[in-house]
Amino acid sequence: MQIIPAIDLKEGCAVRLTQGKMESAKIYYKNPLEVAKIFEDMGAQYLHIVDLDGAFCGKPQNKEAIQNIVQNSTLKIEVGGGIRTEEIIKEYLNLGVNRVILGSIALQNPSFARQMAQKYPIVIGIDAKEGKVAIEGWDRVGRILASQFAEKFRDSAIEAIICTDISNDGMLGGINIGFTQEIAQSSGKLTLASGGLSGLEDLERLQDCGIDGVIVGKAFYEGKLNLKEAFKKFGE
């Protein structure tokens, strides 16, 4: 099972939100590279980065902080937040990012996302409230069910889907395993769970249910999960 620690960026700092609300942002590290190096030292191979400012305004806002991590760590990095054009995709890949996450633009224009996946390493981010896809930094909820949206990528070249139950995100109340399984079944793609991980017991449940991987956020930042132990016990 892939265990991927996360850094959410707001105004250049590593923060965490509760249920996707920007006003809930809590700063954990003013220098995101510092926590990236901690993840690296603990045994992480991958890093999940979200440009929160970019997600809300529709274009990258924390590129300098991301570039600093890319250039000063050995982690394989995936980035999302405000990536809505092929030009931006290429800019991130040219920086040394390993793969790019498409969210809002994938919902608005699935054919664009599928086309980009034919040319570049693309991951689809599916974030849902009450089963329906949310976009623009989780600020707006669409009409399409997350499972129906996931099905649009079944025969595509995307590398993975990251699915987040927004109501669980940052709550430390446990992953919505049923939702994750539904997305995996609908898409037929490698699926990473996100939102609500509370500790090692959650990882055991995810592994027992055959989930491909998980994004780790607040559980680490709040000291609820020993990542070094998690990598040894569950990581690839």
Side-chain angles (χ1 to χ4, degrees):
M1 184 168 64
Q2 286 189 11
I3 299 174
I4 304 179
I7 294 176
D8 286 358
L9 295 172
K10 184 176 186 292
E11 298 174 0
C13 299
V15 308
R16 298 307 296 174
L17 306 185
T18 300
Q19 296 182 324
K21 299 171 183 175
M22 281 292 265
E23 64 272 17
S24 72
K26 178 179 177 180
I27 296 173
Y28 287 92
Y29 292 85
K30 290 189 175 181
N31 180 2
L33 177 60
E34 183 181 346
V35 69
K37 297 300 286 184
I38 290 172
F39 292 145
E40 188 177 46
D41 291 343
M42 285 183 166
Q45 297 180 23
Y46 298 87
L47 177 63
H48 175 84
I49 300 178
V50 177
D51 179 350
L52 293 174
D53 302 303
F56 276 87
C57 79
K59 59 183 180 180
Q61 299 293 306
N62 286 281
K63 199 176 289 185
E64 185 177 337
I66 294 167
Q67 184 174 15
N68 193 29
I69 293 171
V70 170
Q71 292 178 343
N72 293 285
S73 79
T74 61
L75 296 165
K76 296 177 183 177
I77 294 171
E78 60 186 25
V79 172
I83 303 172
R84 314 234 171 128
T85 67
E86 184 173 5
E87 181 182 4
I88 294 172
I89 291 171
K90 289 193 290 187
E91 284 178 6
Y92 271 127
L93 295 175
N94 288 337
L95 282 183
V97 167
N98 296 91
R99 60 188 188 183
V100 172
I101 304 163
L102 301 182
S104 296
I105 190 63
L107 179 64
Q108 295 162 357
N109 191 348
S111 62
F112 169 78
R114 291 169 62 93
Q115 289 167 13
M116 292 301 99
Q118 293 285 348
K119 302 164 68 174
Y120 309 109
I122 298 294
V123 174
I124 300 298
I126 299 182
D127 309 317
K129 286 182 179 179
E130 298 178 358
K132 294 183 179 179
V133 181
I135 59 173
E136 296 173 6
W138 300 352
D139 206 31
R140 187 161 66 87
V141 179
R143 295 181 179 180
I144 187 170
L145 291 173
S147 57
Q148 293 175 341
F149 180 47
E151 198 168 356
K152 293 179 182 292
F153 299 97
R154 173 169 281 276
D155 60 348
S156 74
I158 67 165
E159 295 197 355
I161 289 178
I162 298 169
C163 61
T164 306
D165 181 342
I166 296 170
S167 63
N168 282 11
D169 192 65
M171 300 299 288
L172 301 173
I175 293 280
N176 187 336
I177 290 176
F179 171 66
T180 307
Q181 290 176 314
E182 187 178 12
I183 296 300
Q185 290 165 3
S186 297
S187 68
K189 297 295 184 181
L190 184 147
T191 302
L192 305 174
S194 174
L197 185 78
S198 60
L200 286 173
E201 289 183 1
D202 273 353
L203 293 177
E204 290 172 359
R205 284 192 286 269
L206 289 167
Q207 189 174 61
D208 290 343
C209 292
I211 302 299
D212 297 309
V214 62
I215 306 297
V216 178
K218 189 173 279 189
F220 163 77
Y221 290 98
E222 291 289 332
K224 304 292 185 183
L225 177 69
N226 183 324
L227 258 182
K228 195 168 186 177
E229 182 181 351
F231 287 130
K232 284 183 179 178
K233 191 170 182 180
F234 301 100
E236 291 183 342

